[in-house]
Amino acid sequence: MLDVLLSPGALTTRFHPIVRERDGAMSVFAFECLTRGPAGTNFEQADVLFEYGRRKSAEVALDRACVSQAVATATAIGKHDLALNVHASTLSRDSGFARDLAQLAKSYGFTPEQIIVEIVEHLPVLNRRDFAASLASLRALGFRIALDDVGLGYSNFQMMIEAAPDYLKIDRAFIHGADHVNSRAAVIESILAFANRVGAHVVAEGVEDAADRTYLMSLGIELLQGYHYAHPLTAEQAGTFRPMISAA
């Protein structure tokens, strides 16, 4: 099954816009590239796909396949910035990842400056020295770094300090309803305070309705992502996407 998943055409990419709202204007800041497995199978669900990769110790091969598919597909959406999800474990094991990503981007007409490497992880990073070396290589080449799912699992304050990301993506678990749930608001405000102190930007994931949007913007958060703006899009849809607030 692993050979099937890694074969050409087995993986597809959807594009979820990150919207910037500033001074009453909305624009696409970047598209997060989301991988889907073969249609009609359980592997179409990203969590099933990547859990299978972890069980087969194939995180590196799967991450490389997902990134390659995403960059190739993104040529159809225009010159937008991309956010590519990569596991911290891949960066700690694959010393050539940064170099190969730069070559891949160039081959499809992208520069490293157009790409945000979004670090995800569901397991502790075992080789922190090699992880730090990969991050340094990515930065030296011009890539930006984001930390995904901030507030959950291993995307905690220790990882925030070690990765020193340019962007902190607050997990959706804390976003929806934060305007009236004090504990969620406290988490968001603590992460925002940390980001302001270290010069990072905050991205709010899981913005579901107008109340979420209004509360987050009242805190000064300009980078927003969620179904309030759009569901994940095909490349064709992303190519013509213009941000607007959902009526749903």
Side-chain angles (χ1 to χ4, degrees), residues 127-193:
N127 193 325
R128 295 189 176 277
R129 183 182 64 182
D130 289 346
F131 174 64
S134 284
L135 288 180
S137 296
L138 287 166
R139 287 197 172 91
L141 289 165
F143 295 102
R144 287 168 286 166
I145 305 296
L147 184 59
D148 197 23
D149 300 332
V150 169
L152 291 184
Y154 293 98
S155 293
N156 52 30
F157 280 102
Q158 181 180 0
M159 179 64 89
M160 289 159 65
I161 292 170
E162 292 184 359
D166 304 288
Y167 304 94
L168 296 169
K169 298 192 70 177
I170 304 177
D171 188 84
R172 67 186 68 250
F174 306 105
I175 296 298
H176 184 51
D179 62 307
H180 60 270
V181 180
N182 287 336
S183 56
R184 296 180 188 177
V187 171
I188 294 170
E189 291 168 16
S190 67
I191 294 171
L192 184 58

Short mmCIF file of all heavy atoms in Angstrom, two decimals, residues 127-193:
data_model
loop_
_atom_site.label_atom_id
_atom_site.label_comp_id
_atom_site.label_asym_id
_atom_site.label_seq_id
_atom_site.Cartn_x
_atom_site.Cartn_y
_atom_site.Cartn_z
N ASN A 127 16.12 14.01 17.50
CA ASN A 127 17.45 14.54 17.21
C ASN A 127 17.35 16.05 17.02
O ASN A 127 17.18 16.55 15.91
CB ASN A 127 18.02 13.88 15.95
CG ASN A 127 19.50 14.17 15.79
OD1 ASN A 127 19.97 15.25 16.13
ND2 ASN A 127 20.25 13.20 15.28
N ARG A 128 17.44 16.76 18.12
CA ARG A 128 17.23 18.20 18.09
C ARG A 128 18.38 18.93 17.38
O ARG A 128 18.16 19.98 16.77
CB ARG A 128 17.04 18.74 19.51
CG ARG A 128 15.78 18.20 20.15
CD ARG A 128 15.43 18.88 21.45
NE ARG A 128 14.16 18.37 21.95
CZ ARG A 128 12.97 18.81 21.57
NH1 ARG A 128 12.91 19.76 20.65
NH2 ARG A 128 11.86 18.30 22.06
N ARG A 129 19.56 18.38 17.43
CA ARG A 129 20.69 19.02 16.74
C ARG A 129 20.48 19.03 15.24
O ARG A 129 20.66 20.06 14.57
CB ARG A 129 22.00 18.31 17.09
CG ARG A 129 23.24 18.97 16.46
CD ARG A 129 24.49 18.19 16.79
NE ARG A 129 24.45 16.85 16.21
CZ ARG A 129 25.41 15.93 16.37
NH1 ARG A 129 26.46 16.21 17.13
NH2 ARG A 129 25.31 14.74 15.80
N ASP A 130 20.08 17.89 14.68
CA ASP A 130 19.85 17.82 13.23
C ASP A 130 18.61 18.62 12.82
O ASP A 130 18.58 19.19 11.73
CB ASP A 130 19.71 16.36 12.79
CG ASP A 130 21.04 15.61 12.87
OD1 ASP A 130 22.08 16.27 13.00
OD2 ASP A 130 21.01 14.37 12.80
N PHE A 131 17.61 18.65 13.69
CA PHE A 131 16.43 19.46 13.43
C PHE A 131 16.82 20.94 13.33
O PHE A 131 16.43 21.64 12.40
CB PHE A 131 15.41 19.25 14.55
CG PHE A 131 14.21 20.15 14.49
CD1 PHE A 131 13.32 20.08 13.43
CD2 PHE A 131 13.96 21.07 15.51
CE1 PHE A 131 12.20 20.91 13.38
CE2 PHE A 131 12.85 21.89 15.47
CZ PHE A 131 11.96 21.82 14.41
N ALA A 132 17.63 21.40 14.28
CA ALA A 132 18.08 22.80 14.26
C ALA A 132 18.93 23.08 13.02
O ALA A 132 18.83 24.17 12.43
CB ALA A 132 18.87 23.09 15.53
N ALA A 133 19.74 22.12 12.61
CA ALA A 133 20.57 22.31 11.43
C ALA A 133 19.73 22.45 10.17
O ALA A 133 20.01 23.27 9.29
CB ALA A 133 21.56 21.15 11.29
N SER A 134 18.65 21.65 10.07
CA SER A 134 17.76 21.75 8.92
C SER A 134 17.05 23.10 8.89
O SER A 134 16.89 23.71 7.82
CB SER A 134 16.73 20.62 8.94
OG SER A 134 17.30 19.40 8.54
N LEU A 135 16.61 23.56 10.05
CA LEU A 135 15.97 24.88 10.11
C LEU A 135 16.94 25.97 9.67
O LEU A 135 16.57 26.89 8.93
CB LEU A 135 15.48 25.16 11.53
CG LEU A 135 14.27 24.39 12.02
CD1 LEU A 135 13.93 24.80 13.45
CD2 LEU A 135 13.07 24.60 11.12
N ALA A 136 18.18 25.87 10.12
CA ALA A 136 19.18 26.87 9.73
C ALA A 136 19.41 26.84 8.22
O ALA A 136 19.56 27.90 7.59
CB ALA A 136 20.49 26.60 10.48
N SER A 137 19.43 25.66 7.62
CA SER A 137 19.61 25.54 6.17
C SER A 137 18.43 26.16 5.43
O SER A 137 18.62 26.86 4.42
CB SER A 137 19.76 24.07 5.77
OG SER A 137 20.93 23.50 6.33
N LEU A 138 17.21 25.91 5.90
CA LEU A 138 16.03 26.49 5.27
C LEU A 138 16.09 28.02 5.32
O LEU A 138 15.83 28.70 4.31
CB LEU A 138 14.76 25.99 5.96
CG LEU A 138 14.37 24.53 5.69
CD1 LEU A 138 13.31 24.07 6.69
CD2 LEU A 138 13.85 24.36 4.27
N ARG A 139 16.44 28.55 6.47
CA ARG A 139 16.51 30.01 6.60
C ARG A 139 17.61 30.60 5.73
O ARG A 139 17.43 31.66 5.10
CB ARG A 139 16.75 30.39 8.06
CG ARG A 139 15.54 30.19 8.96
CD ARG A 139 15.69 30.95 10.27
NE ARG A 139 14.46 30.91 11.03
CZ ARG A 139 14.15 29.98 11.93
NH1 ARG A 139 15.02 29.01 12.18
NH2 ARG A 139 13.01 30.01 12.57
N ALA A 140 18.75 29.93 5.67
CA ALA A 140 19.86 30.43 4.86
C ALA A 140 19.50 30.49 3.38
O ALA A 140 19.99 31.35 2.65
CB ALA A 140 21.09 29.55 5.07
N LEU A 141 18.61 29.60 2.96
CA LEU A 141 18.19 29.57 1.56
C LEU A 141 17.07 30.56 1.26
O LEU A 141 16.72 30.77 0.10
CB LEU A 141 17.74 28.16 1.19
CG LEU A 141 18.87 27.13 1.08
CD1 LEU A 141 18.30 25.71 1.06
CD2 LEU A 141 19.69 27.38 -0.19
N GLY A 142 16.47 31.13 2.31
CA GLY A 142 15.43 32.15 2.10
C GLY A 142 14.02 31.72 2.44
O GLY A 142 13.08 32.50 2.29
N PHE A 143 13.82 30.46 2.89
CA PHE A 143 12.50 30.01 3.27
C PHE A 143 12.08 30.63 4.60
O PHE A 143 12.92 30.90 5.46
CB PHE A 143 12.47 28.48 3.41
CG PHE A 143 12.72 27.73 2.14
CD1 PHE A 143 13.96 27.17 1.87
CD2 PHE A 143 11.71 27.60 1.19
CE1 PHE A 143 14.20 26.48 0.69
CE2 PHE A 143 11.94 26.92 0.00
CZ PHE A 143 13.19 26.36 -0.25
N ARG A 144 10.78 30.84 4.76
CA ARG A 144 10.23 31.25 6.05
C ARG A 144 9.73 30.02 6.79
O ARG A 144 9.44 28.99 6.19
CB ARG A 144 9.08 32.25 5.84
CG ARG A 144 9.53 33.64 5.40
CD ARG A 144 8.35 34.47 4.94
NE ARG A 144 7.87 34.03 3.62
CZ ARG A 144 6.69 34.40 3.10
NH1 ARG A 144 5.87 35.16 3.80
NH2 ARG A 144 6.34 33.98 1.90
N ILE A 145 9.62 30.15 8.12
CA ILE A 145 9.24 29.03 8.97
C ILE A 145 7.97 29.37 9.73
O ILE A 145 7.84 30.46 10.30
CB ILE A 145 10.36 28.69 9.98
CG1 ILE A 145 11.69 28.43 9.27
CG2 ILE A 145 9.95 27.49 10.85
CD1 ILE A 145 11.69 27.23 8.37
N ALA A 146 7.03 28.43 9.73
CA ALA A 146 5.83 28.55 10.55
C ALA A 146 5.72 27.32 11.44
O ALA A 146 6.20 26.24 11.09
CB ALA A 146 4.58 28.66 9.68
N LEU A 147 5.11 27.49 12.60
CA LEU A 147 4.85 26.37 13.50
C LEU A 147 3.34 26.15 13.53
O LEU A 147 2.58 27.05 13.88
CB LEU A 147 5.37 26.66 14.90
CG LEU A 147 5.25 25.53 15.93
CD1 LEU A 147 6.00 24.29 15.47
CD2 LEU A 147 5.77 25.99 17.29
N ASP A 148 2.92 24.95 13.13
CA ASP A 148 1.50 24.63 13.02
C ASP A 148 0.96 24.10 14.35
O ASP A 148 1.73 23.64 15.21
CB ASP A 148 1.30 23.58 11.92
CG ASP A 148 -0.14 23.47 11.46
OD1 ASP A 148 -0.90 24.44 11.65
OD2 ASP A 148 -0.50 22.42 10.91
N ASP A 149 -0.36 24.17 14.51
CA ASP A 149 -1.06 23.57 15.66
C ASP A 149 -0.52 24.07 16.99
O ASP A 149 -0.44 23.32 17.97
CB ASP A 149 -0.95 22.03 15.63
CG ASP A 149 -1.55 21.44 14.37
OD1 ASP A 149 -2.47 22.05 13.80
OD2 ASP A 149 -1.10 20.35 13.95
N VAL A 150 -0.16 25.35 17.04
CA VAL A 150 0.40 25.90 18.28
C VAL A 150 -0.62 25.78 19.41
O VAL A 150 -1.79 26.14 19.26
CB VAL A 150 0.83 27.36 18.09
CG1 VAL A 150 1.15 28.01 19.43
CG2 VAL A 150 2.04 27.43 17.17
N GLY A 151 -0.16 25.24 20.53
CA GLY A 151 -1.01 25.04 21.68
C GLY A 151 -1.38 23.59 21.91
O GLY A 151 -1.89 23.23 22.97
N LEU A 152 -1.13 22.73 20.90
CA LEU A 152 -1.45 21.32 21.02
C LEU A 152 -0.18 20.47 20.95
O LEU A 152 0.77 20.84 20.27
CB LEU A 152 -2.40 20.87 19.90
CG LEU A 152 -3.84 21.39 19.92
CD1 LEU A 152 -4.62 20.76 18.78
CD2 LEU A 152 -4.54 21.10 21.25
N GLY A 153 -0.22 19.31 21.58
CA GLY A 153 0.83 18.31 21.44
C GLY A 153 2.23 18.87 21.62
O GLY A 153 2.54 19.52 22.62
N TYR A 154 3.08 18.63 20.61
CA TYR A 154 4.48 19.03 20.70
C TYR A 154 4.75 20.41 20.11
O TYR A 154 5.89 20.85 20.06
CB TYR A 154 5.37 17.96 20.05
CG TYR A 154 5.34 16.67 20.82
CD1 TYR A 154 4.51 15.63 20.44
CD2 TYR A 154 6.09 16.51 21.99
CE1 TYR A 154 4.43 14.45 21.17
CE2 TYR A 154 6.02 15.35 22.73
CZ TYR A 154 5.20 14.32 22.32
OH TYR A 154 5.12 13.16 23.05
N SER A 155 3.67 21.09 19.63
CA SER A 155 3.82 22.48 19.19
C SER A 155 3.59 23.38 20.40
O SER A 155 2.67 24.19 20.46
CB SER A 155 2.82 22.79 18.08
OG SER A 155 3.12 22.08 16.91
N ASN A 156 4.46 23.22 21.40
CA ASN A 156 4.29 23.92 22.66
C ASN A 156 5.34 25.02 22.80
O ASN A 156 6.06 25.34 21.86
CB ASN A 156 4.37 22.93 23.82
CG ASN A 156 5.63 22.08 23.73
OD1 ASN A 156 6.66 22.52 23.21
ND2 ASN A 156 5.56 20.85 24.23
N PHE A 157 5.44 25.62 23.99
CA PHE A 157 6.36 26.73 24.16
C PHE A 157 7.82 26.33 23.95
O PHE A 157 8.62 27.12 23.47
CB PHE A 157 6.16 27.36 25.55
CG PHE A 157 4.98 28.28 25.61
CD1 PHE A 157 3.78 27.87 26.18
CD2 PHE A 157 5.05 29.55 25.08
CE1 PHE A 157 2.68 28.71 26.23
CE2 PHE A 157 3.96 30.42 25.13
CZ PHE A 157 2.77 29.99 25.71
N GLN A 158 8.17 25.10 24.29
CA GLN A 158 9.54 24.65 24.05
C GLN A 158 9.85 24.66 22.56
O GLN A 158 10.90 25.15 22.12
CB GLN A 158 9.77 23.26 24.62
CG GLN A 158 11.20 22.76 24.40
CD GLN A 158 11.44 21.37 24.98
OE1 GLN A 158 10.54 20.77 25.55
NE2 GLN A 158 12.64 20.86 24.83
N MET A 159 8.92 24.11 21.75
CA MET A 159 9.11 24.12 20.31
C MET A 159 9.10 25.54 19.75
O MET A 159 9.85 25.86 18.82
CB MET A 159 8.03 23.28 19.62
CG MET A 159 8.14 23.25 18.11
SD MET A 159 9.65 22.46 17.48
CE MET A 159 9.10 20.75 17.38
N MET A 160 8.27 26.42 20.32
CA MET A 160 8.23 27.80 19.88
C MET A 160 9.58 28.47 20.08
O MET A 160 10.03 29.26 19.25
CB MET A 160 7.13 28.55 20.63
CG MET A 160 5.72 28.13 20.22
SD MET A 160 4.44 28.52 21.45
CE MET A 160 4.50 30.31 21.45
N ILE A 161 10.25 28.13 21.17
CA ILE A 161 11.57 28.71 21.45
C ILE A 161 12.63 28.10 20.54
O ILE A 161 13.44 28.80 19.95
CB ILE A 161 11.93 28.50 22.94
CG1 ILE A 161 11.00 29.34 23.82
CG2 ILE A 161 13.39 28.86 23.18
CD1 ILE A 161 11.12 29.02 25.30
N GLU A 162 12.61 26.77 20.39
CA GLU A 162 13.65 26.10 19.62
C GLU A 162 13.53 26.39 18.12
O GLU A 162 14.54 26.59 17.44
CB GLU A 162 13.58 24.59 19.87
CG GLU A 162 13.97 24.20 21.29
CD GLU A 162 13.99 22.69 21.47
OE1 GLU A 162 13.70 21.96 20.52
OE2 GLU A 162 14.32 22.26 22.59
N ALA A 163 12.31 26.41 17.59
CA ALA A 163 12.13 26.62 16.16
C ALA A 163 12.22 28.09 15.78
O ALA A 163 12.55 28.42 14.63
CB ALA A 163 10.78 26.06 15.70
N ALA A 164 11.93 28.99 16.74
CA ALA A 164 11.95 30.44 16.49
C ALA A 164 11.26 30.78 15.16
O ALA A 164 11.85 31.39 14.27
CB ALA A 164 13.39 30.96 16.49
N PRO A 165 10.00 30.36 14.99
CA PRO A 165 9.33 30.52 13.71
C PRO A 165 8.99 31.97 13.40
O PRO A 165 8.87 32.81 14.29
CB PRO A 165 8.05 29.69 13.88
CG PRO A 165 7.79 29.73 15.34
CD PRO A 165 9.13 29.72 16.01
N ASP A 166 8.81 32.24 12.11
CA ASP A 166 8.34 33.55 11.68
C ASP A 166 6.84 33.70 11.92
O ASP A 166 6.33 34.81 12.09
CB ASP A 166 8.63 33.74 10.19
CG ASP A 166 10.11 33.56 9.87
OD1 ASP A 166 10.89 34.44 10.23
OD2 ASP A 166 10.47 32.52 9.26
N TYR A 167 6.13 32.56 11.90
CA TYR A 167 4.67 32.54 12.05
C TYR A 167 4.27 31.47 13.06
O TYR A 167 4.79 30.36 13.02
CB TYR A 167 3.98 32.27 10.71
CG TYR A 167 4.36 33.24 9.63
CD1 TYR A 167 5.39 32.92 8.75
CD2 TYR A 167 3.72 34.46 9.50
CE1 TYR A 167 5.78 33.82 7.77
CE2 TYR A 167 4.10 35.37 8.52
CZ TYR A 167 5.13 35.04 7.65
OH TYR A 167 5.52 35.93 6.69
N LEU A 168 3.33 31.83 13.93
CA LEU A 168 2.76 30.89 14.88
C LEU A 168 1.30 30.70 14.51
O LEU A 168 0.51 31.65 14.53
CB LEU A 168 2.85 31.45 16.31
CG LEU A 168 4.27 31.64 16.86
CD1 LEU A 168 4.22 32.44 18.16
CD2 LEU A 168 4.95 30.30 17.09
N LYS A 169 0.92 29.47 14.13
CA LYS A 169 -0.45 29.19 13.73
C LYS A 169 -1.20 28.59 14.92
O LYS A 169 -0.96 27.44 15.30
CB LYS A 169 -0.47 28.24 12.53
CG LYS A 169 0.20 28.80 11.29
CD LYS A 169 -0.08 27.97 10.06
CE LYS A 169 -1.53 28.10 9.62
NZ LYS A 169 -1.81 27.34 8.37
N ILE A 170 -2.09 29.38 15.50
CA ILE A 170 -2.83 28.93 16.66
C ILE A 170 -3.86 27.90 16.23
O ILE A 170 -4.66 28.14 15.32
CB ILE A 170 -3.52 30.11 17.37
CG1 ILE A 170 -2.49 31.18 17.74
CG2 ILE A 170 -4.24 29.61 18.63
CD1 ILE A 170 -3.11 32.41 18.39
N ASP A 171 -3.85 26.75 16.89
CA ASP A 171 -4.74 25.67 16.49
C ASP A 171 -6.20 26.06 16.63
O ASP A 171 -6.59 26.81 17.53
CB ASP A 171 -4.46 24.42 17.33
CG ASP A 171 -5.21 23.22 16.81
OD1 ASP A 171 -4.69 22.57 15.87
OD2 ASP A 171 -6.32 22.94 17.32
N ARG A 172 -7.02 25.50 15.73
CA ARG A 172 -8.45 25.80 15.68
C ARG A 172 -9.16 25.47 16.99
O ARG A 172 -10.23 26.02 17.27
CB ARG A 172 -9.09 25.05 14.53
CG ARG A 172 -9.12 23.55 14.69
CD ARG A 172 -9.63 22.83 13.44
NE ARG A 172 -8.68 22.97 12.34
CZ ARG A 172 -8.90 23.70 11.25
NH1 ARG A 172 -10.03 24.36 11.12
NH2 ARG A 172 -7.99 23.76 10.31
N ALA A 173 -8.60 24.56 17.78
CA ALA A 173 -9.24 24.17 19.04
C ALA A 173 -9.41 25.35 19.99
O ALA A 173 -10.30 25.33 20.85
CB ALA A 173 -8.42 23.07 19.72
N PHE A 174 -8.58 26.38 19.83
CA PHE A 174 -8.65 27.54 20.71
C PHE A 174 -9.36 28.73 20.07
O PHE A 174 -9.64 29.71 20.76
CB PHE A 174 -7.23 27.96 21.11
CG PHE A 174 -6.43 26.84 21.72
CD1 PHE A 174 -5.43 26.21 20.99
CD2 PHE A 174 -6.69 26.39 23.00
CE1 PHE A 174 -4.70 25.17 21.53
CE2 PHE A 174 -5.97 25.35 23.55
CZ PHE A 174 -4.98 24.74 22.81
N ILE A 175 -9.63 28.65 18.78
CA ILE A 175 -10.13 29.83 18.06
C ILE A 175 -11.65 29.97 18.14
O ILE A 175 -12.16 31.01 18.56
CB ILE A 175 -9.68 29.78 16.58
CG1 ILE A 175 -8.15 29.84 16.48
CG2 ILE A 175 -10.32 30.91 15.80
CD1 ILE A 175 -7.53 31.11 17.03
N HIS A 176 -12.36 28.93 17.71
CA HIS A 176 -13.81 29.07 17.59
C HIS A 176 -14.45 29.26 18.96
O HIS A 176 -14.25 28.47 19.88
CB HIS A 176 -14.41 27.85 16.90
CG HIS A 176 -15.88 27.97 16.65
ND1 HIS A 176 -16.44 29.07 16.03
CD2 HIS A 176 -16.92 27.15 16.96
CE1 HIS A 176 -17.75 28.91 15.95
NE2 HIS A 176 -18.07 27.76 16.52
N GLY A 177 -15.19 30.35 19.11
CA GLY A 177 -15.87 30.64 20.37
C GLY A 177 -15.03 31.34 21.40
O GLY A 177 -15.48 31.55 22.54
N ALA A 178 -13.82 31.74 21.03
CA ALA A 178 -12.93 32.37 22.01
C ALA A 178 -13.47 33.70 22.52
O ALA A 178 -13.09 34.15 23.60
CB ALA A 178 -11.54 32.58 21.41
N ASP A 179 -14.38 34.31 21.77
CA ASP A 179 -14.96 35.58 22.21
C ASP A 179 -15.81 35.43 23.47
O ASP A 179 -16.01 36.41 24.21
CB ASP A 179 -15.80 36.21 21.09
CG ASP A 179 -16.99 35.33 20.70
OD1 ASP A 179 -16.75 34.14 20.41
OD2 ASP A 179 -18.13 35.84 20.69
N HIS A 180 -16.28 34.19 23.76
CA HIS A 180 -17.09 34.00 24.96
C HIS A 180 -16.62 32.82 25.83
O HIS A 180 -17.29 32.46 26.79
CB HIS A 180 -18.57 33.79 24.58
CG HIS A 180 -18.81 32.61 23.70
ND1 HIS A 180 -18.78 32.69 22.33
CD2 HIS A 180 -19.10 31.31 23.99
CE1 HIS A 180 -19.04 31.50 21.81
NE2 HIS A 180 -19.22 30.64 22.80
N VAL A 181 -15.46 32.24 25.49
CA VAL A 181 -14.87 31.19 26.33
C VAL A 181 -13.54 31.71 26.85
O VAL A 181 -12.55 31.78 26.10
CB VAL A 181 -14.68 29.88 25.53
CG1 VAL A 181 -14.06 28.81 26.43
CG2 VAL A 181 -16.00 29.39 24.97
N ASN A 182 -13.52 32.09 28.12
CA ASN A 182 -12.35 32.77 28.68
C ASN A 182 -11.07 31.96 28.58
O ASN A 182 -9.99 32.51 28.36
CB ASN A 182 -12.61 33.16 30.14
CG ASN A 182 -13.60 34.30 30.27
OD1 ASN A 182 -13.75 35.11 29.34
ND2 ASN A 182 -14.27 34.40 31.41
N SER A 183 -11.16 30.64 28.76
CA SER A 183 -9.96 29.82 28.74
C SER A 183 -9.32 29.82 27.34
O SER A 183 -8.09 29.87 27.21
CB SER A 183 -10.28 28.38 29.17
OG SER A 183 -11.30 27.82 28.35
N ARG A 184 -10.14 29.79 26.29
CA ARG A 184 -9.61 29.85 24.93
C ARG A 184 -9.00 31.23 24.66
O ARG A 184 -7.92 31.32 24.05
CB ARG A 184 -10.71 29.55 23.91
CG ARG A 184 -11.26 28.14 24.01
CD ARG A 184 -12.34 27.87 22.98
NE ARG A 184 -12.97 26.57 23.22
CZ ARG A 184 -13.97 26.09 22.52
NH1 ARG A 184 -14.49 26.80 21.53
NH2 ARG A 184 -14.48 24.90 22.81
N ALA A 185 -9.68 32.25 25.10
CA ALA A 185 -9.14 33.60 24.92
C ALA A 185 -7.80 33.76 25.63
O ALA A 185 -6.88 34.40 25.10
CB ALA A 185 -10.14 34.62 25.44
N ALA A 186 -7.67 33.16 26.80
CA ALA A 186 -6.41 33.26 27.55
C ALA A 186 -5.26 32.62 26.80
O ALA A 186 -4.14 33.15 26.78
CB ALA A 186 -6.58 32.62 28.93
N VAL A 187 -5.53 31.46 26.16
CA VAL A 187 -4.48 30.79 25.38
C VAL A 187 -4.06 31.67 24.20
O VAL A 187 -2.87 31.88 23.95
CB VAL A 187 -4.97 29.41 24.88
CG1 VAL A 187 -3.97 28.81 23.89
CG2 VAL A 187 -5.19 28.46 26.05
N ILE A 188 -5.05 32.18 23.47
CA ILE A 188 -4.75 33.02 22.31
C ILE A 188 -3.94 34.24 22.73
O ILE A 188 -2.92 34.58 22.10
CB ILE A 188 -6.05 33.46 21.62
CG1 ILE A 188 -6.76 32.25 21.01
CG2 ILE A 188 -5.77 34.50 20.54
CD1 ILE A 188 -8.16 32.55 20.51
N GLU A 189 -4.36 34.88 23.78
CA GLU A 189 -3.68 36.11 24.21
C GLU A 189 -2.27 35.84 24.71
O GLU A 189 -1.36 36.65 24.52
CB GLU A 189 -4.53 36.82 25.25
CG GLU A 189 -5.82 37.39 24.66
CD GLU A 189 -6.82 37.86 25.69
OE1 GLU A 189 -6.43 38.03 26.87
OE2 GLU A 189 -8.00 38.04 25.33
N SER A 190 -2.04 34.67 25.33
CA SER A 190 -0.69 34.34 25.79
C SER A 190 0.24 34.07 24.61
O SER A 190 1.40 34.49 24.62
CB SER A 190 -0.72 33.13 26.73
OG SER A 190 -1.09 31.95 26.05
N ILE A 191 -0.27 33.39 23.58
CA ILE A 191 0.54 33.13 22.39
C ILE A 191 0.82 34.43 21.66
O ILE A 191 1.94 34.66 21.18
CB ILE A 191 -0.16 32.11 21.48
CG1 ILE A 191 -0.25 30.75 22.17
CG2 ILE A 191 0.58 31.98 20.13
CD1 ILE A 191 -1.12 29.74 21.43
N LEU A 192 -0.18 35.29 21.58
CA LEU A 192 0.00 36.59 20.92
C LEU A 192 1.05 37.43 21.65
O LEU A 192 1.88 38.08 21.02
CB LEU A 192 -1.34 37.33 20.86
CG LEU A 192 -1.36 38.67 20.13
CD1 LEU A 192 -0.89 38.51 18.68
CD2 LEU A 192 -2.76 39.27 20.16
N ALA A 193 1.01 37.41 22.98
CA ALA A 193 2.01 38.15 23.75
C ALA A 193 3.41 37.62 23.49
O ALA A 193 4.37 38.39 23.34
CB ALA A 193 1.67 38.07 25.24
#
